[in-house]
Amino acid sequence: DGGITQSPKYLFRKEGQNVTLSCEQNLNHDAMYWYRQDPGQGLRLIYYSQIVNDFQKGDIAEGYSVSREKKESFPLTVTSAQKNPTAFYLCASSRGGIAYQPQHFGDGTRLSIL
Amino acid sequence: SQQGEEDPQALSIQEGENATMNCSYKTSINNLQWYRQNSGRGLVHLILIRSNEREKHSGRLRVTLDTSKKSSSLLITASRAADTASYFCATVPPFSGGYNKLIFGAGTRLAVHP
């Protein structure tokens, strides 16, 4: 079945540590996105990528980095510069940067600080 | 920045009743989308309604859009316990550069009791 796989489901970060969240899709979608969700709030866009080897900052990119070396994969690194990383992170994809295309989401990674 | 604001923040009903959730937004839109999120899971796309449409149906879901009032409503008829989830509206600004940027509200938490 086609879909988006995020791993791990739970992740713990120590002070000063970088951690990487995995996102893989087999939907053959061009565009991929990373969102952050805090309790009781909507989603905020961290980074997005419309094609391989290209990505753009979203609304809250500070303290995060991404890469897009393959169409299927869009990993997110939460760096030590992100001082409040505890949140639920969601990866999504869509057929392209066309306004009419809905986004498909993975089941998220919950990141906590040790 | 959040554009959509859902109302109410929380809604509790009995099975078989109808549930109505509202979304208001501030600026013009290309389209408005509704998503469902079960606890601890990713978002699932429900319906997309374009700015030139007034109403759309999908199974037990009915979405209306009033661009003059900058508001939308989601009606779930004959609700079931399985409808228990958070529901988010997301707006897409007028088309520019081909990127499908969704701006999410904080969501309505719906609880349907057997």
Side-chain angles (χ1 to χ4, degrees), chain A residues 37 42 45 97 99-101 103 107, chain B residues 31 35 37 41 98-100 105:
Chain A
Q37 185 178 30
L45 182 65
Y100 289 164
Q101 302 302 320
Q103 294 187 7
D107 272 340
Chain B
N31 67 74
Y35 288 80
Q37 183 180 34
R41 304 292 297 274
Y99 164 53
N100 179 8

Side-chain angles (χ1 to χ4, degrees), chain A residues 38-92:
Chain A
D38 292 283
Q41 297 189 31
L43 277 62
R44 291 183 291 168
L45 182 65
I46 305 173
Y47 269 98
Y48 65 96
S49 169
Q50 296 189 73
I51 56 172
V52 174
N53 292 323
D54 184 61
F55 48 84
Q56 305 294 329
K57 292 181 179 180
D59 300 318
I60 56 165
E62 186 173 349
Y64 301 97
S65 66
V66 294
S67 63
R68 186 86 188 275
E69 297 176 2
K70 298 186 302 181
K71 187 175 185 178
E72 303 79 20
S73 179
F74 192 41
L76 173 75
T77 296
V78 183
T79 74
S80 57
Q82 173 48 248
K83 297 306 178 188
N84 183 24
T86 297
F88 190 49
Y89 291 87
L90 287 160
C91 179

Side-chain angles (χ1 to χ4, degrees), chain B residues 8-77:
Chain B
Q9 290 185 339
L11 182 60
S12 181
I13 60 174
Q14 298 295 126
E15 264 191 330
E17 294 180 340
N18 294 344
T20 299
M21 287 158 270
N22 303 298
C23 172
S24 59
Y25 56 92
K26 298 183 178 117
T27 62
S28 60
I29 61 171
N30 178 292
N31 67 74
L32 184 146
Q33 303 177 27
W34 284 92
Y35 288 80
R36 184 187 77 233
Q37 183 180 34
N38 289 81
S39 181
R41 304 292 297 274
L43 278 69
V44 175
H45 179 261
L46 297 176
I47 288 184
L48 182 154
I49 186 165
R50 302 174 189 178
S51 59
N52 62 351
E53 297 175 314
R54 292 297 166 257
E55 187 171 310
K56 286 190 84 168
H57 297 255
S58 176
R60 293 184 295 111
L61 306 181
R62 172 179 168 246
V63 168
T64 60
L65 178 65
D66 187 335
T67 53
S68 66
K69 295 181 180 178
K70 292 187 169 60
S71 68
S72 173
S73 67
L74 170 66
L75 168 68
I76 304 174
T77 60

